[in-house]
Amino acid sequence: MPVAWQLVWEKNPGYAVGWSWVDGEGNAFLASATLSSMWRLEGERWRRVFPDPGLPQFEADLGALVVVYDPDRRRLVVLRHTRVNYEDALDHWEFSWETGWIRRDDVEAPTFRRDTIAAGYDPRRKRVVIFGGIVDPPGQDDRATNETWEFDGVRWERRELDIVPYKRTRMSMEWDDERGYLVLFSGQNDTEDELVVYRDTWLYDGAWHRAAQMPLERIPSPRTTYSMAWDPKRRQVVLFGGWAGGGLDDMWAWTGDGWEEIVTATRPPARWGAALEWSDQRQALVLYGGSGDGGLLDDTWEFDGSDWKLIEDPPGPHARSVFGMAYDRAEDVLVVTGGGELHPDRALADLRAIWLWDGERWRKSSERVRGMDYPLSATMRLTYDEANDRIVGYGLSARIHLAEGERAKLYVFRQRPAEWLSLEHQDPGDYVSAYHAWSYDSRRGEVVMFGGRARVSVYGFGRTNATWILRGDDWTRFEGDPVPPVRQETAMAYDPVRGVHWLYGGNGQNVYLSDLWRFDGERWEDVLAESPPGKRRSHDLAFDEVRARLILYGNFNMPGPSYEGITWEWDGGRWIAQPTPLQPETNRAAARLEWDPDHEVTWLFGGTPEQERQRSDLWAYGPDPDGDGIVGKLDNCAVTINPEQSDVDGDGAGDACDCAPGDPGAFAVPAEVTGVRFAADAVTLSWDSAAPGAGPDTVHDLFRGPARDLPATDAAECLARGLAGTSFEDAARPAAGESFWYLVRGRNACGAGTLGGGREETRACD
């Protein structure tokens, strides 16, 4: 059966944004640092662009350095930094919706690697222009430059000009459509002797012109990594924020003879490195993300010409990686909490919260769960302990690195009431674990923990291969041979079909691993020393209980499989590569996978793609028999193509497969009624309702007839018609030597169901 990944929810682009632009139709776009993902502003939401136009990734890719939209050729022009045989180079790529990504081997890119470049487009001369940045010629230290290069659609040309700005980096350049030139402000030059941050303005129209002297009050303060955009409503180039020993939150407009500060009642928080673009749709400048004094930002603001307004994101967890996630089978919700300490000042409250996903929306169990003052950290894995109706995790709180003398704890979360319990007295001696594997064995009612980073001697910490078993609140160390080699950043999932835990790969002792092991509660067995998915760490596993497949996804900074674009499945005897039309980045590390038996999908949330930042997206992986991109029971028409999932009457069945699309009480002709039976009193007859598979307004017709007439039913008597319930009392008794048969049929607005078994239908209850 075909399988697919479905992007189900996304709060925003997270902390991933590295680039922005406006296309020829005035649509604002954001892109990740390596251009592996793009988002377009639609209304008040950033939407991932599909089919995914991600720039092809490969091992030598070190990220894009120039991204400029060319409206005349209707394409994105990109210079990408690569490293081959330890030599840096720039490759020239272009993207359009018609052609996708094309590597222009016929174009010789500017020499040497460049970084923190100013780039813009000159529509009058129809050229991409880049200036300055850092270069590193062979055999020389990195240094700032003041070179100017232009691309006319055919070739890059270095301009030899008599007048040029001083050498600099970390500045921006924007086209002034009112005055016909590119505007460049400030920047820095880090020389051997000092760091110089300029406070000058330069204009470029094919030649550089330094703006005339102006009073200091009409010049923004010196700064770097500010945001710049053309505002067609004001007919001015607008500058916002930047870095000057800390974040800035002021806004300025270029008037042609100087800068004018724009004072507003509301201001976004101070930031640098943010995306700022004009949106025709919203008729406003849109500001997204960047870095603030408290960490990375993922908020969206718009400026309508008079004031700033925050565009609220939908409720849900912020971007994160190395966090805790488990599926609560009693409540039928996915539970997400915690994460690393990359941005504690800003995200502490969100990381501490417990987020619950019910298949349609997120909600918080509470703003702050009792018993937990700090969020769970990267040291914690979670799993649902079905025997004790609780979510359990073992490790440290609010810290990634292990402190001397620190002891891990067993943490228990229960939803009624929402609280964490810290069982400090219950732990495996001095064992302190981080980056371990952790899964629940439903047959034996126990949790198994393997490996991780632990206190291995009196001298300090290291990788371990210890196996611990948790039954209730009691720990037992497994003693047996063989055991898997020591490792951390590994993954394990329980297979209830075969009654074993599967363990794959990880970061071993001076080696990355691709081995597959299984543990049945009594012994470890080495299944494969090397596996086709290759060496992996910071990946995750989940077990699909319907298809009886182990699902493997993710990787961190590893060659080969990192960029494969496929999902791996283990069927108990072999690995199967599953290419899919769409998928999260396959080099995404420290995301979490969890099987959802209610929706029959595997969920993936968060994580960090290589050379990028944390994500806040939720994906579902599962069967897609109709190929419409909606998977598992998330699809309201499993075998009928309906990617829009329209459901006018809200009955859970899509209009494409609903036989009564305007009637919420019916969506399918009832199937054969099963479970017809008499109670012990031989009077009360009952049956299984046909409503779950046909609609809540489904009623039942009860037929009775003499057994001698079977299999024909034309002599049937309509004993009861239109019963809403699933029982009926019949005190009648057949004559001596005779017997009755009873059959039940479901009926609703879509029609009458069958009596089953190929029997001739009766019209007795029509």
Side-chain angles (χ1 to χ4, degrees):
M1 180 180 294
V3 292
W5 282 98
Q6 175 190 347
L7 178 60
V8 178
W9 179 91
E10 191 167 28
K11 187 180 187 67
N12 52 42
Y15 306 124
V17 172
W19 302 101
S20 66
W21 66 90
V22 175
D23 69 7
E25 285 73 48
N27 296 304
F29 285 84
L30 300 175
S32 59
T34 63
L35 293 168
S36 63
S37 301
M38 293 183 185
W39 296 264
R40 178 172 53 217
L41 185 63
E42 299 178 5
E44 294 191 344
R45 292 289 308 278
W46 293 103
R47 303 283 186 183
R48 188 81 66 97
V49 179
F50 291 115
D52 196 342
L55 181 62
Q57 305 292 299
F58 54 93
E59 295 173 34
D61 178 30
L62 297 177
L65 298 180
V66 170
V67 176
V68 177
Y69 186 77
D70 178 341
D72 292 295
R73 301 174 186 86
R74 298 175 60 84
R75 63 188 58 239
L76 205 61
V77 176
V78 174
L79 291 179
R80 183 161 73 164
H81 178 201
T82 61
R83 180 172 295 154
V84 180
N85 296 327
Y86 302 100
E87 293 187 5
D88 291 327
L90 292 180
D91 290 338
H92 181 111
W93 290 76
E94 296 181 5
F95 171 80
S96 73
W97 298 108
E98 292 75 24
T99 64
W101 284 101
I102 297 176
R103 179 173 178 170
R104 292 284 303 272
D105 292 326
D106 61 318
V107 174
E108 185 177 350
T111 55
F112 314 134
R113 180 183 68 84
R114 294 157 191 275
D115 202 353
T116 60
I117 305 168
Y121 185 74
D122 180 342
R124 293 192 180 180
R125 301 173 56 248
K126 295 181 171 51
R127 283 168 167 77
V128 173
V129 181
I130 66 174
F131 171 79
I134 297 174
V135 298
D136 61 347
Q140 300 181 36
D141 294 334
D142 291 359
R143 56 182 175 83
T145 182
N146 58 355
E147 295 175 6
T148 303
W149 289 74
E150 292 183 347
F151 177 67
D152 62 3
V154 178
R155 67 189 182 95
W156 283 97
E157 177 188 4
R158 179 178 174 179
R159 300 295 312 283
E160 300 293 344
L161 303 168
D162 294 332
I163 300 175
V164 292
Y166 304 121
K167 297 177 180 180
R168 65 189 70 198
T169 67
R170 302 185 184 281
M171 63 286 169
S172 295
M173 190 161 58
E174 186 66 38
W175 177 255
D176 186 329
D177 201 43
E178 181 75 12
R179 299 161 188 88
Y181 48 61
L182 288 160
V183 180
L184 180 145
F185 176 74
S186 191
Q188 74 177 43
N189 186 5
D190 190 0
T191 68
E192 292 183 2
D193 301 322
E194 61 180 337
L195 172 64
V196 178
V197 181
Y198 300 108
R199 197 179 185 182
D200 52 355
T201 303
W202 289 81
L203 316 171
Y204 182 78
D205 59 5
W208 284 105
H209 312 276
R210 182 166 184 168
Q213 293 291 329
M214 60 196 81
L216 288 179
E217 61 268 17
R218 294 201 61 193
I219 309 175
S221 60
R223 65 191 68 199
T224 63
T225 54
Y226 50 84
S227 304
M228 228 178 190
W230 169 248
D231 185 339
K233 185 184 292 186
R234 298 175 64 96
R235 306 296 297 172
Q236 293 174 326
V237 170
V238 173
L239 178 154
F240 178 84
W243 167 264
L248 301 171
D249 64 355
D250 54 345
M251 181 165 56
W252 296 77
W254 174 252
T255 64
D257 59 358
W259 292 93
E260 179 182 272
E261 186 171 8
I262 304 173
V263 179
T264 57
T266 305
R267 291 187 182 187
R271 66 192 66 205
W272 62 95
L276 181 66
E277 298 292 347
W278 172 260
S279 168
D280 269 0
Q281 184 186 61
R282 302 197 63 78
Q283 287 294 295
L285 285 172
V286 179
L287 179 78
Y288 181 84
S291 297
D293 293 331
L296 296 174
L297 302 169
D298 63 351
D299 49 352
T300 304
W301 293 78
E302 67 176 6
F303 177 67
D304 61 7
S306 58
D307 203 3
W308 286 100
K309 172 191 172 185
L310 175 66
I311 300 178
E312 297 284 352
D313 288 320
H318 282 282
R320 64 191 68 203
S321 59
V322 286
F323 53 94
M325 188 165 85
Y327 191 81
D328 186 329
R329 296 188 179 222
E331 300 291 326
D332 294 329
V333 292
L334 188 69
V335 179
V336 169
T337 187
E341 56 180 3
L342 295 178
H343 318 294
D345 294 341
R346 180 177 179 276
L348 183 63
D350 183 68
L351 293 176
R352 179 166 45 219
I354 307 291
W355 285 97
L356 309 176
W357 171 259
D358 63 6
E360 296 183 359
R361 61 186 60 84
W362 290 99
R363 63 181 175 86
K364 283 184 180 180
S365 67
S366 67
E367 287 293 329
R368 178 169 177 172
V369 178
R370 292 190 301 170
M372 179 61 73
D373 293 328
Y374 299 97
L376 303 184
S377 76
T379 66
M380 194 85 64
R381 284 269 192 170
L382 299 180
T383 192
Y384 178 65
D385 178 351
E386 191 172 358
N388 297 287
D389 186 21
R390 63 185 188 177
I391 290 174
V392 292
Y394 180 78
L396 309 175
S397 169
R399 190 178 293 112
I400 292 177
H401 303 291
L402 306 179
E404 183 65 30
E406 186 169 8
R407 299 172 71 91
K409 304 172 185 176
L410 177 66
Y411 289 94
V412 174
F413 172 67
R414 291 189 173 92
Q415 294 202 49
R416 300 172 303 277
E419 64 178 355
W420 283 102
L421 303 176
S422 170
L423 307 181
E424 299 184 43
H425 60 288
Q426 298 288 352
D427 64 65
D430 289 334
Y431 187 84
V432 178
S433 182
Y435 308 113
H436 51 277
W438 179 257
S439 59
Y440 176 73
D441 182 332
S442 57
R443 287 192 185 181
R444 301 171 186 84
E446 61 191 27
V447 178
V448 175
M449 177 170 69
F450 174 81
R453 186 167 179 81
R455 184 178 292 110
V456 295
S457 71
V458 294
Y459 300 106
F461 302 99
R463 296 167 182 82
T464 181
N465 62 350
T467 303
W468 289 88
I469 297 173
L470 176 69
R471 297 184 183 92
D473 296 339
D474 298 322
W475 291 96
T476 302
R477 180 161 182 167
F478 170 78
E479 302 289 350
D481 189 60
V483 294
V486 297
R487 69 193 68 199
Q488 63 183 32
E489 298 171 278
T490 184
M492 184 167 65
Y494 180 70
D495 172 352
V497 176
R498 301 169 183 89
V500 298
H501 300 264
W502 297 102
L503 177 82
Y504 187 90
N507 184 352
Q509 193 70 41
N510 302 317
V511 63
Y512 297 122
L513 302 167
S514 61
D515 52 349
L516 178 69
W517 291 74
R518 67 183 175 196
F519 180 66
D520 63 5
E522 297 181 358
R523 68 188 184 96
W524 282 101
E525 180 182 354
D526 186 359
V527 180
L528 288 174
E530 295 184 3
S531 298
K535 298 176 180 179
R536 304 206 174 216
R537 63 181 181 124
S538 296
H539 53 288
D540 208 6
L541 298 171
F543 188 80
D544 182 331
E545 297 176 9
V546 173
R547 298 167 56 240
R549 297 280 181 92
L550 184 69
I551 311 301
L552 167 64
Y553 205 80
N555 205 353
F556 176 73
N557 197 26
M558 300 295 293
S562 292
Y563 306 99
E564 66 200 345
I566 62 175
T567 305
W568 288 92
E569 298 184 355
W570 171 258
D571 67 358
R574 64 191 176 107
W575 283 104
I576 302 167
Q578 294 280 20
T580 53
L582 304 173
Q583 65 273 322
E585 300 86 348
T586 46
N587 63 342
R588 191 181 293 208
R592 296 291 185 246
L593 294 178
E594 277 294 330
W595 167 251
D596 175 348
D598 186 44
H599 297 95
E600 296 182 2
V601 298
T602 296
W603 295 110
L604 178 147
F605 180 74
T608 307
E610 185 181 351
Q611 298 180 26
E612 295 193 4
R613 290 180 174 141
Q614 297 159 313
R615 294 287 200 262
S616 61
D617 50 357
L618 179 69
W619 294 73
Y621 177 77
D624 182 21
D626 56 11
D628 61 5
I630 314 299
V631 300
K633 289 188 175 180
L634 300 176
D635 194 344
N636 59 21
C637 289
V639 295
T640 303
I641 297 175
N642 65 329
E644 297 81 12
Q645 297 287 288
S646 175
D647 180 12
V648 172
D649 56 17
D651 59 6
D655 298 338
C657 60
D658 190 338
C659 54
D663 183 351
F667 53 80
V669 175
E672 177 184 349
V673 174
T674 59
V676 181
R677 56 200 179 274
F678 265 113
D681 61 6
V683 172
T684 304
L685 192 71
S686 63
W687 53 89
D688 300 333
S689 175
D697 290 349
T698 298
V699 295
H700 304 92
D701 300 330
L702 175 61
F703 300 89
R704 185 182 68 188
R708 64 175 179 273
D709 292 338
L710 288 177
T713 58
D714 54 353
E717 171 189 359
C718 182
L719 193 59
R721 184 178 188 277
L723 295 172
T726 56
S727 64
F728 184 81
E729 292 186 359
D730 181 19
R733 294 289 183 270
E738 297 288 338
S739 60
F740 291 148
W741 58 257
Y742 294 85
L743 291 172
V744 182
R745 176 184 71 183
R747 179 166 48 83
N748 60 21
C750 294
T754 177
L755 290 174
R759 296 182 178 88
E760 179 181 338
E761 299 299 318
T762 178
R763 302 182 61 85
C765 284
D766 292 353

